[in-house]
Amino acid sequence: MKIYKYTLRAFACVFVLVLAVACTNDFGDVGTGLVGVVNFETRQTMEIDVVSFTKSIDDGVQTNALPAGAFGVYKDDVYGESTASVLTQVSLGRLNPDFGEETVIDSVFFTLPYFSTLLDTDDEGNSTYELDSIFRNTGPMKLSVYRSNYFLNNLDPSTDFQDPAVYYSNDIENFAGIESQVLFVIDSFVPVSDQIILTELEVLDEDADPDAVADTLVTARLSPALRVPLDTLYFRQNIVDLEGSEMLLNQNNFNNYFRGIYIKAEPLDGKGSYIIFDYSEASIETYYSFTGDDDSAGDGEATDDGVGSLRLGFGGVQIIDLKTTYNPEIIAAFEQTDTVNGDESVYLKGGAGSIAMIDLFGPDANGDDIEDQLEELRSCNVIVNEANLIFYVDQEKVAPGSGIPEPERVFIYDFDNNATLIDGEIDQTSGFNGPVGTRVNHLGRIVRETEDDESTPGVSYRIRLTQHINNIINNDSTNVRLALAVSQNVTTLNSAIIGGTLDESRENIERLPVGTVLSQESTILHGSESPDESKRLKLRISYTLTEEIDPDSVCGRLLGLE
């Protein structure tokens, strides 16, 4: 699938380049018949009206089938306080496991690794790490982990189990039994970047000196993680003692028996951390010793080394519960949005937050289903050299100095068709710092008052739409509605369903990028009705004329020719 995708993108790039050359040659041929009429090298600029307004995600957003998990607390002085908790099924590491004879549970550990970067390792193997994908680490929060008794379907019962189940960010509050059994509680939890070192005592020979002291041996070094010991008796009674039972026979039976794990985050005095993690790396591991044989060697093979383990991985259906308590002024802004004339400011918030809707080329006054400005512009025969939307940060409303990190990137997409714009498809730029430096020609990074200083306020974002606008004007492509959202990762193109838009036909579904759902970052931008005209949202087009135009004609007035 990946090879196919990359091949398709490469073909698209070649196609666009060939098309560009062909268009250049065509315009050149036209120019030979108009010598002395117009200078084809002269570029001019124009501004096209747009309508932009805020769309709040009131009915939740799909949070199952996301590429990563998230839990924690995100306090935003501008928007309010958000919490994220996780409900996940667990997968049985070995089906119908054999634990050997005289089995003794040595230990059970819950482990959830953080995303981190290795900075240095000394000669003894001690490593230093830097945590990433952890946001607003402002202080301790309460963290509770439960065994859940709520059954999660991977297929939708309302469609006779023909379609995948869809779970939303506000579903968990209606689930009964998700806190059926507490596994552990940390009253004051803060993620730390320390390496985890596992040790065991050296086993001395039978003929060793009776006074000899066993050395402590390092058995493993783990990257930073939330790692908590669990009650061994509980997992003996609920896992090991069930050897040979139907509950452990296959994954479906196990899902019905051990229905899931619920990780619940709660703020302490408005503080906490928002943590994005990899589901596939998290687990509950039971370590045991035995006599005889067991099957912990894997692939059905027996082992008689006397020690084994069973892993319960985070697999199957996984849901993130998102809750935000908005500040009153944000609630008022959501309620007062003007979908016809546009808003003074547009509000972007990750998670089940808000996005900006963008209509290009103004109204369709004559009712022919083509915006009047677009209709006029199509008759002007111009080459679009560059087209940009410049979104200026409304610095008075984002509270400079509040310490709230503004999103480094924003993402624009075809909202009507849930599609990436062609400018994004052909933008293959990439940087040394991963996704944050990718696709910057199309989706420019935030411009700050001081370059490369994230502590200084954001000024603007530039979104380049050159090929998209060219296709609308010169190739009669449909002028679709656009949407702008914050995003943790502009390279992740999968999407999530907006709550309340999924009907029985499963058509006309509205969606958000999954990078938006996983983000909690926010900003406020000047909209199309901003009182500051210099920062009002406009579509700025740089163009070249292909024929002489009368300044007093419709085209002349539209283009601002004198």
Side-chain angles (χ1 to χ4, degrees), residues 283-323:
S283 67
I284 295 175
E285 193 97 18
T286 299
Y287 300 91
Y288 60 90
S289 54
F290 63 95
T291 61
D293 297 335
D294 84 338
D295 62 356
S296 60
D299 298 327
E301 297 179 1
T303 179
D304 59 0
D305 60 3
V307 293
S309 65
L310 180 70
R311 185 179 192 269
L312 303 183
F314 284 20
V317 180
Q318 298 147 338
I319 313 169
I320 302 176
D321 177 48
L322 298 173
K323 293 184 176 68

Side-chain angles (χ1 to χ4, degrees), residues 40-165:
F40 292 93
E41 298 303 317
T42 300
R43 293 192 178 193
Q44 302 190 53
T45 59
M46 65 179 299
E47 291 185 343
I48 297 293
D49 291 335
V50 303
V51 172
S52 63
F53 57 91
T54 301
K55 177 181 177 65
S56 57
I57 311 303
D58 299 323
D59 294 324
V61 64
Q62 179 186 4
T63 58
N64 67 308
L66 297 182
F71 67 92
V73 177
Y74 191 97
K75 180 65 179 296
D76 186 324
D77 292 343
V78 177
Y79 278 81
E81 183 178 89
S82 299
T83 60
S85 301
V86 172
L87 177 62
T88 175
Q89 288 181 324
V90 292
S91 58
L92 191 58
R94 304 194 313 275
L95 300 179
N96 197 23
D98 177 358
F99 297 105
E101 303 295 332
E102 300 179 4
T103 308
V104 176
I105 305 296
D106 299 317
S107 61
V108 182
F109 277 92
F110 174 99
T111 305
L112 189 151
Y114 309 127
F115 286 112
S116 60
T117 301
L118 176 63
L119 300 179
D120 184 52
T121 301
D122 64 21
D123 294 338
E124 296 181 357
N126 299 309
S127 297
T128 303
Y129 291 87
E130 180 180 51
L131 300 182
D132 54 43
S133 299
I134 295 181
F135 303 88
R136 299 290 291 152
N137 193 354
T138 57
M141 61 184 175
K142 183 178 180 180
L143 192 66
S144 306
V145 174
Y146 301 88
R147 176 181 173 181
S148 169
N149 196 39
Y150 184 85
F151 183 75
L152 296 168
N153 281 300
N154 60 352
L155 295 175
D156 188 349
S158 68
T159 64
D160 293 327
F161 302 98
Q162 298 300 307
D163 296 308

Side-chain angles (χ1 to χ4, degrees), residues 25-38 40 546-548:
N25 290 337
D26 288 345
F27 287 131
D29 293 339
V30 173
T32 59
L34 297 172
V35 175
V37 176
V38 62
F40 292 93
T546 63
E547 61 185 25
E548 186 175 19

Side-chain angles (χ1 to χ4, degrees), residues 214-493:
D215 292 331
T216 299
L217 305 178
V218 174
T219 59
R221 298 177 185 271
L222 307 180
S223 62
L226 167 61
R227 186 172 168 85
V228 179
L230 302 181
D231 181 9
T232 58
L233 178 59
Y234 182 82
F235 281 86
R236 178 178 187 87
Q237 294 172 339
N238 288 273
I239 300 293
V240 175
D241 286 350
L242 299 180
E243 178 183 336
S245 70
E246 291 186 356
M247 280 82 85
L248 306 185
L249 184 62
N250 57 54
Q251 188 60 48
N252 287 336
N253 289 359
F254 185 72
N255 285 344
N256 190 46
Y257 163 64
F258 199 108
R259 295 186 169 184
I261 296 293
Y262 179 48
I263 305 174
K264 180 180 181 181
E266 299 172 86
L268 291 178
D269 298 324
K271 297 179 180 179
S273 305
Y274 179 75
I275 301 167
I276 296 177
F277 69 96
D278 185 348
Y279 281 120
S280 67
E281 295 295 322
S283 67
I284 295 175
E285 193 97 18
T286 299
Y287 300 91
Y288 60 90
S289 54
F290 63 95
T291 61
D293 297 335
D294 84 338
D295 62 356
S296 60
D299 298 327
E301 297 179 1
T303 179
D304 59 0
D305 60 3
V307 293
S309 65
L310 180 70
R311 185 179 192 269
L312 303 183
F314 284 20
V317 180
Q318 298 147 338
I319 313 169
I320 302 176
D321 177 48
L322 298 173
K323 293 184 176 68
T324 299
T325 302
Y326 288 108
N327 292 333
E329 56 270 25
I330 298 298
I331 295 175
F334 287 171
E335 293 175 345
Q336 296 167 8
T337 189
D338 188 336
T339 62
V340 176
N341 301 305
D343 294 337
E344 291 186 4
S345 299
V346 291
Y347 292 74
L348 306 185
K349 173 75 168 69
S354 57
I355 58 178
M357 306 302 300
I358 302 159
D359 294 325
L360 303 177
F361 299 107
D364 171 26
N366 58 17
D368 62 355
D369 294 329
I370 302 176
E371 292 76 8
D372 298 339
Q373 265 192 331
L374 174 58
E375 202 165 15
E376 295 170 357
L377 193 55
R378 283 175 172 172
S379 69
C380 296
N381 295 323
V382 299
I383 304 172
V384 176
N385 302 308
E386 187 165 334
N388 293 298
L389 287 169
I390 308 295
F391 293 89
Y392 289 95
V393 177
D394 194 333
Q395 294 182 334
E396 292 184 2
K397 292 183 178 179
V398 297
S402 67
I404 305 301
E406 296 168 88
E408 189 69 23
R409 307 295 298 275
V410 292
F411 186 85
I412 199 166
Y413 63 105
D414 172 353
F415 187 76
D416 291 341
N417 300 295
N418 181 42
T420 303
L421 303 186
I422 187 172
D423 297 84
E425 289 294 326
I426 65 177
D427 183 1
Q428 299 299 312
T429 56
S430 61
F432 294 108
N433 51 355
V436 74
T438 300
R439 292 187 172 182
V440 292
N441 285 339
H442 170 48
L443 306 169
R445 293 178 63 173
I446 191 172
V447 176
R448 297 188 181 275
E449 289 187 353
T450 302
E451 187 177 359
D452 297 327
D453 186 350
E454 295 185 10
S455 66
T456 60
V459 176
S460 64
Y461 301 87
R462 184 202 66 195
I463 307 296
R464 183 177 283 119
L465 306 173
T466 307
Q467 191 59 46
H468 176 70
I469 299 301
N470 243 324
N471 284 348
I472 293 174
I473 295 175
N474 296 314
N475 298 326
D476 292 331
S477 293
T478 303
N479 178 30
V480 297
R481 175 170 288 185
L482 305 180
L484 186 77
V486 302
S487 180
Q488 291 285 2
N489 187 340
V490 299
T491 66
T492 302
L493 305 181

